[in-house]
Amino acid sequence: MKITFLAAALVVSLISCNEKKDTKTETEPSIAGTWSLASSRVITKGDTVLTFPVKGQEMIKIFNDNTFAFFKHDLNGGKGEAAIFDSGAGTYELKNGDYSEHLAYCNYRDWENRDFKFKLDVKKDSLIQTGIEKIDSLNINQEIVEIYVRKK
């Protein structure tokens, strides 16, 4: 009887000593949705140029599960000297803040079928994308810092 009691007490104490494993894993904040570009700067050879905002233009970036698209246009309906339209789209991966894009479509056709690696940081309704855009054949080697705000 004593042995049965001691065995049962031992089993209960062993079970209670086991740490419960947290089955909930930390996930990336969701970037799905539409984001408006609030500011952008390009750093080339130590020189920083503010490239956005530009008066009379807007830009959005849209994410779903694994694809992205961006659109920039003037607010004058394509009329006048400031008329502009830029667009691109492709696939992306996001793991622990490491963000990579494969740009499959772009109105600047020499940028198509290129891969870019960035850091992505989401803080509440802000998304900050930083990294290097490098295309040797186009003599492009620049750091970008883009700040987006989630559209409601």
Side-chain angles (χ1 to χ4, degrees):
M1 182 83 142
K2 276 187 175 181
I3 293 177
T4 306
F5 177 74
L6 288 174
L10 180 62
V11 168
V12 168
S13 66
L14 287 174
I15 290 172
S16 65
C17 287
N18 282 344
E19 291 182 26
K20 291 184 180 180
K21 292 185 180 179
D22 189 4
T23 56
K24 182 181 175 184
T25 59
E26 245 181 76
T27 59
E28 299 280 344
S30 175
I31 62 172
T34 303
W35 300 79
S36 292
L37 184 63
S39 79
S40 175
R41 64 182 184 263
V42 174
I43 304 151
T44 307
K45 296 180 182 176
D47 292 329
T48 301
V49 176
L50 184 66
T51 57
F52 203 88
V54 174
K55 186 177 179 178
Q57 291 183 11
E58 68 180 358
M59 180 173 164
I60 60 171
K61 192 163 189 176
I62 303 168
F63 297 94
N64 69 19
D65 291 341
N66 64 356
T67 59
F68 73 95
F70 64 85
F71 304 95
K72 179 170 66 173
H73 73 155
D74 62 88
L75 300 175
N76 296 323
K79 308 279 190 263
E81 293 178 19
I84 187 170
F85 182 81
D86 295 335
S87 65
T91 57
Y92 78 88
E93 288 186 16
L94 177 60
K95 290 185 182 176
N96 299 322
D98 293 325
Y99 172 73
S100 60
E101 289 182 348
H102 176 75
L103 186 58
Y105 307 94
C106 188
N107 65 302
Y108 299 107
R109 305 303 293 270
D110 290 338
W111 285 65
E112 287 185 341
N113 297 310
R114 309 245 183 214
D115 297 307
F116 301 95
K117 295 184 187 294
F118 302 103
K119 287 289 188 182
L120 210 65
D121 190 19
V122 178
K123 293 181 181 174
K124 297 185 181 182
D125 285 345
S126 295
L127 181 148
I128 303 162
Q129 181 177 333
T130 59
I132 304 295
E133 293 177 329
K134 185 172 182 177
I135 305 174
D136 291 332
S137 63
L138 299 176
N139 199 28
I140 293 171
N141 187 2
Q142 60 194 17
E143 180 181 357
I144 64 160
V145 179
E146 297 176 339
I147 301 172
Y148 295 86
V149 177
R150 188 182 295 274
K151 286 189 77 130
K152 306 275 184 210

